[in-house]
Amino acid sequence: MNIAEHIRTIPDFPKPGILFYDISTLLAYPPAWRHTVDLLAGAIRKHEPDVIAGIESRGFLVGAPVALELGCSFIMLRKEGKLPGETASYTYDLEYGSDTVEMQVDAIASGQKVVIIDDLLATGGTAGGALHLLRQAEADVRAAAFIIELNGLGGREHLDAPVTALVEFDA
């Protein structure tokens, strides 16, 4: 099954000139969604993760079923101020400013093997921030996995870990 056929594009969203890759149609078709989860789990399994770390917010949708499939824990990496309790944060630069990613301080134990997951890799800014946050917590970040990678935006170059993407589109 070609999962790319189940990802629709929406021009000029969220602003003019942007082509948005919408996984809503993939999620809405159970055979394609099941195939996507199976493909991601198969690609990640070799990294032997203890934890899947999903990046807000579509990374939650992708990461939770993959974690269940692999029998490992799932944690949420969120924007600043969205998690209860004590959090650790990492602020990173973007082309238009900066952003901060956070996780609960008790989410990861030192040395745990982690794979980062999200729906889409573009410039790598957010995934790179997530990687730094997890390493700051002394996690053993083994890889990052995505449904979609946008070629030409340099996302892979910002990640100091193996990268898996199920489908690629030109940016």
Side-chain angles (χ1 to χ4, degrees):
M1 175 181 302
N2 182 357
I3 63 171
E5 294 174 358
H6 300 280
I7 299 168
R8 73 176 161 189
T9 56
I10 300 176
D12 299 321
F13 183 83
K15 61 184 184 180
I18 302 293
L19 183 60
F20 186 81
Y21 291 88
D22 184 15
I23 65 164
S24 298
T25 46
L26 178 67
L27 296 167
Y29 185 58
W33 181 229
R34 173 82 257 171
H35 187 60
T36 301
V37 170
D38 290 344
L39 288 172
L40 284 168
I44 291 170
R45 185 172 279 110
K46 67 184 175 191
H47 299 291
E48 302 177 342
D50 302 310
V51 178
I52 301 296
I55 299 174
E56 184 173 346
S57 68
R58 289 180 300 267
F60 302 168
L61 297 170
V62 179
V66 170
L68 278 174
E69 184 73 23
L70 295 174
C72 58
S73 299
F74 176 79
I75 66 164
M76 297 177 287
L77 304 178
R78 299 207 65 187
K79 294 182 183 195
E80 189 172 25
K82 301 285 186 172
L83 289 169
E86 187 179 353
T87 59
S89 65
Y90 182 82
T91 300
Y92 55 96
D93 292 326
L94 297 169
E95 57 273 30
Y96 53 84
S98 66
D99 209 347
T100 301
V101 64
E102 291 186 334
M103 69 178 191
Q104 292 167 316
V105 295
D106 60 355
I108 296 284
S110 178
Q112 278 192 301
K113 297 174 282 190
V114 180
V115 172
I116 297 168
I117 198 164
D118 204 357
D119 68 319
L120 184 135
L121 175 62
T123 64
T126 302
L131 187 136
H132 285 286
L133 175 64
L134 290 161
R135 287 192 175 149
Q136 182 177 283
E138 299 181 352
D140 177 6
V141 181
R142 296 285 182 97
F146 306 89
I147 296 174
I148 303 164
E149 180 176 6
L150 298 182
N151 293 323
L153 298 179
R156 267 179 201 263
E157 289 76 40
H158 288 98
L159 302 180
D160 181 21
V163 173
T164 295
L166 301 183
V167 295
E168 297 179 17
F169 296 106
D170 292 328

